[in-house]
Amino acid sequence: MARTYLSPAPLTAAAFAQFGEVIELDPNHLAQDNAVRVMQINEGLTQRYHALASIDSSDEAGRPIISLFHSQAMPMPHRVLELERHPLGSQAFVPLDDAPFYVLVAPAQKTPNTINANDLKLFITNGKQGINFFKNTWHHYQIALGKAGRYIVVDRAGNGENLQLATVQGEVWLKEDLSA
Amino acid sequence: MARTYLSPAPLTAAAFAQFGEVIELDPNHLAQDNAVRVMQINEGLTQRYHALASIDSSDEAGRPIISLFHSQAMPMPHRVLELERHPLGSQAFVPLDDAPFYVLVAPAQKTPNTINANDLKLFITNGKQGINFFKNTWHHYQIALGKAGRYIVVDRAGNGENLQLATVQGEVWLKEDLSA
């Protein structure tokens, strides 16, 4: 079977809308999205970019938590064997180091245990953007590019089965191509 | 009345325990605190420092949200006239730029509308630490030192009165003293 290499697209709020939210402090993005409110607070010293992401964690009495991830760079090329999803809650990643990462997602499937190669969408962040996967969005685990990275992660703790896996059909690979 | 200048103490989880949680990826801190769990995930590529902070937002049907703050440096010296607190939820700040900030807090008071100067505690972060104020912890609004800073903020949206103010007694001032 021939290898398929995925090409990354720049992450934008519009392109990512069906999968989750983009967490960024981007005036251009704000101008395009009237739903984002910027508040002047703290006697004028602070701009609050309000509610860029909503945390979804209350199913089955879950609770929202803040964790830190320290991820080594993904060895490349990397074969994409499976994706995961969290049926009980959202999951947000915000980078603490200025470094792009890959965001590999797929829409919800009617047959949830397999994903077709042409349903995969690969995005690359600009180094400052964070993302919040909606509950049930299929996604690959964190893909740090080139160097290790630290991330704030906001997700759910609690009882219940909050992890499902799906196998990717075909020989799908990632390579690191920051010039794409 | 003579001016009192507060001296900052280094932020540690132990010193901050009555006010909130410290969000940091610090092996020394982990060694001192068995409650913090580090999980190896993502086929060994990622360490998850699990549940460093708990988000408290459900009072009066509130919901947890992620916002971004962009704060200008606090002009110094700065007179501390009042503190605020959020009676309906916690509030976390994690810096996105590697820069120390001041954390000025006071314990809960029996007379909630005034705070004595000697009840104030001033901490300085190491540049990478975040903090999560417990519900009802008196605190000053964000105090960026020397330069503007960006922060992830995780707090509560919803109805209800989630802001109270208290006047600080005396002539209490902050100055920027990163060598302290």
Side-chain angles (χ1 to χ4, degrees):
Chain A
M1 193 186 311
R3 291 189 177 190
T4 299
Y5 286 97
L6 299 178
S7 294
L11 181 67
T12 66
F16 196 63
Q18 72 172 297
F19 307 109
E21 296 155 312
V22 177
I23 300 168
E24 63 184 334
L25 211 158
D26 179 351
N28 294 322
H29 167 60
L30 293 175
Q32 295 162 17
D33 181 355
N34 292 323
V36 175
R37 284 184 292 157
V38 183
M39 303 169 177
Q40 298 289 336
I41 60 172
N42 299 353
E43 304 183 81
L45 287 173
T46 295
Q47 291 178 302
R48 180 184 172 116
Y49 293 72
H50 183 71
L52 299 179
S54 288
I55 304 160
D56 182 350
S57 63
S58 61
D59 284 3
E60 299 192 22
R63 65 190 180 88
I65 57 171
I66 301 175
S67 302
L68 282 170
F69 279 21
H70 185 264
S71 296
Q72 298 302 314
M74 174 73 78
M76 294 286 182
H78 170 73
R79 183 170 175 188
V80 179
L81 294 172
E82 62 184 15
L83 300 188
E84 63 186 58
R85 69 176 181 182
H86 307 300
L88 299 180
S90 59
Q91 188 174 45
F93 293 80
V94 182
L96 298 180
D97 306 297
D98 192 351
F101 60 95
Y102 276 166
V103 182
L104 178 58
V105 290
Q109 305 286 317
K110 291 183 180 176
T111 52
N113 55 334
T114 62
I115 293 172
N116 294 321
N118 53 13
D119 286 328
L120 294 168
K121 296 281 184 189
L122 180 64
F123 296 100
I124 185 167
T125 70
N126 67 10
K128 296 185 184 301
Q129 293 167 316
I131 50 99
N132 186 36
F133 295 121
F134 291 142
K135 186 166 65 182
N136 273 323
T137 289
W138 289 108
H139 60 276
H140 197 283
Y141 65 71
Q142 194 64 13
I143 305 170
L145 295 175
K147 62 178 183 178
R150 300 172 300 131
Y151 307 88
I152 284 285
V153 176
V154 184
D155 58 6
R156 174 192 180 277
N159 295 323
E161 187 46 72
N162 196 23
L163 177 65
Q164 293 179 344
L165 298 173
T167 303
V168 172
Q169 303 299 297
E171 264 222 36
V172 181
W173 290 73
L174 302 178
K175 56 184 175 182
E176 193 167 1
D177 185 1
L178 300 183
S179 67
Chain B
M1 195 185 309
R3 290 189 178 192
T4 299
Y5 285 98
L6 299 177
S7 295
L11 181 68
T12 66
F16 196 64
Q18 70 171 298
F19 306 109
E21 296 156 312
V22 176
I23 301 168
E24 62 183 334
L25 212 159
D26 179 349
N28 294 322
H29 167 60
L30 293 174
Q32 295 162 16
D33 182 355
N34 292 323
V36 176
R37 284 184 293 157
V38 183
M39 304 169 175
Q40 298 288 337
I41 60 172
N42 298 354
E43 304 186 81
L45 286 173
T46 294
Q47 291 178 300
R48 179 183 172 118
Y49 293 73
H50 182 69
L52 299 179
S54 288
I55 304 160
D56 182 349
S57 61
S58 60
D59 285 2
E60 299 190 23
R63 65 189 181 89
I65 57 171
I66 300 175
S67 302
L68 282 170
F69 279 22
H70 185 267
S71 296
Q72 298 302 314
M74 174 72 78
M76 295 286 183
H78 171 73
R79 184 171 174 186
V80 180
L81 293 172
E82 62 184 14
L83 299 189
E84 63 186 56
R85 69 177 181 182
H86 307 299
L88 299 179
S90 59
Q91 187 174 44
F93 292 80
V94 183
L96 298 179
D97 305 297
D98 192 350
F101 60 94
Y102 276 166
V103 182
L104 178 58
V105 290
Q109 305 285 317
K110 290 184 180 173
T111 52
N113 55 335
T114 61
I115 292 171
N116 293 321
N118 54 11
D119 286 327
L120 294 168
K121 296 282 183 189
L122 181 64
F123 296 99
I124 185 168
T125 70
N126 66 11
K128 297 185 184 300
Q129 294 167 316
I131 49 99
N132 185 37
F133 295 120
F134 292 141
K135 186 166 65 182
N136 272 324
T137 289
W138 290 108
H139 61 276
H140 197 281
Y141 65 71
Q142 195 62 12
I143 305 169
L145 295 175
K147 61 177 182 180
R150 299 171 301 129
Y151 307 88
I152 285 286
V153 175
V154 184
D155 59 6
R156 174 191 180 277
N159 294 325
E161 185 47 71
N162 196 22
L163 178 65
Q164 294 178 345
L165 299 173
T167 304
V168 172
Q169 302 300 297
E171 262 221 39
V172 180
W173 291 74
L174 302 178
K175 55 184 174 181
E176 194 168 1
D177 184 2
L178 298 182
S179 67

